[in-house]
Amino acid sequence: MSDSDSMQRWHLRMREKPVLRIVAKRFIPFVLLFALYVQFHGDYGPGGGFQAGVIFAAGLILYAMIFGREALEKVAPPRAVEIAAALGVLLYTGVGVATMLGGGNFLAYGALDSHDPMHGQHLGILLVEAGVGITVAAVMTAVYFCYAGRGAGE
């Protein structure tokens, strides 16, 4: 018996458990919402892009574990996940380049707003953390896709 056969049977058993499916449908949106909370409050307290990205990816992976990899591919197609990973890195790097074009060092956020460097600091950290969060969520989801697809002819 191959790994893909046993994984397929496991997903079929999960689909037969209505309580698990109902609880997951109710619980996963709150996991994703909590990830956004961690993302946008990371510059004021504990948390930030990395933690939010991992939480968001965990919500997506939980969805895939309950409803199957194919269901996750409909919500987050693998190609879109790859593009999101690249866009997150591009956002992070773009902020650094913008600070250099503004006359500062790489990621010296104060250069983003020459009239109010504190506003530039706030904007810079928000954008950088968004880039990190997007990249981490996309990469963690891509890692799941890679491992979940083993033995399935991919």
Side-chain angles (χ1 to χ4, degrees), residues 4-151:
S4 68
D5 291 339
S6 63
M7 184 64 98
Q8 212 170 26
R9 278 204 263 112
W10 184 79
H11 280 297
L12 288 174
R13 283 195 312 254
M14 290 298 111
R15 291 180 187 149
E16 295 170 359
K17 301 186 185 304
V19 172
L20 185 61
R21 292 171 58 89
I22 291 169
V23 169
K25 279 185 180 180
R26 302 287 187 243
F27 182 66
I28 290 172
F30 290 106
V31 171
L32 301 179
L33 186 64
F34 181 65
L36 293 175
Y37 170 80
V38 170
Q39 174 72 44
F40 291 111
H41 289 282
D43 53 339
Y44 296 114
F50 185 84
Q51 294 86 344
V54 170
I55 294 167
F56 199 87
L60 294 177
I61 293 168
L62 176 63
Y63 180 79
M65 291 177 69
I66 302 299
F67 299 101
R69 181 175 186 246
E70 299 79 24
L72 179 60
E73 286 179 353
K74 289 178 185 173
V75 173
R79 183 72 178 142
V81 170
E82 291 173 7
I83 291 170
L87 287 177
V89 172
L90 186 63
L91 179 60
Y92 182 94
T93 306
V95 171
V97 170
T99 59
M100 290 183 354
L101 292 174
N105 292 328
F106 186 75
L107 295 177
Y109 308 130
L112 291 175
D113 188 350
S114 59
H115 301 293
D116 185 7
M118 287 304 293
H119 180 259
Q121 290 281 337
H122 183 71
L123 177 64
I125 194 67
L126 192 67
L127 291 173
V128 163
E129 291 294 334
V132 170
I134 292 167
T135 301
V136 169
V139 169
M140 295 295 292
T141 305
V143 167
Y144 172 78
F145 279 140
C146 288
Y147 280 104
R150 286 187 310 159

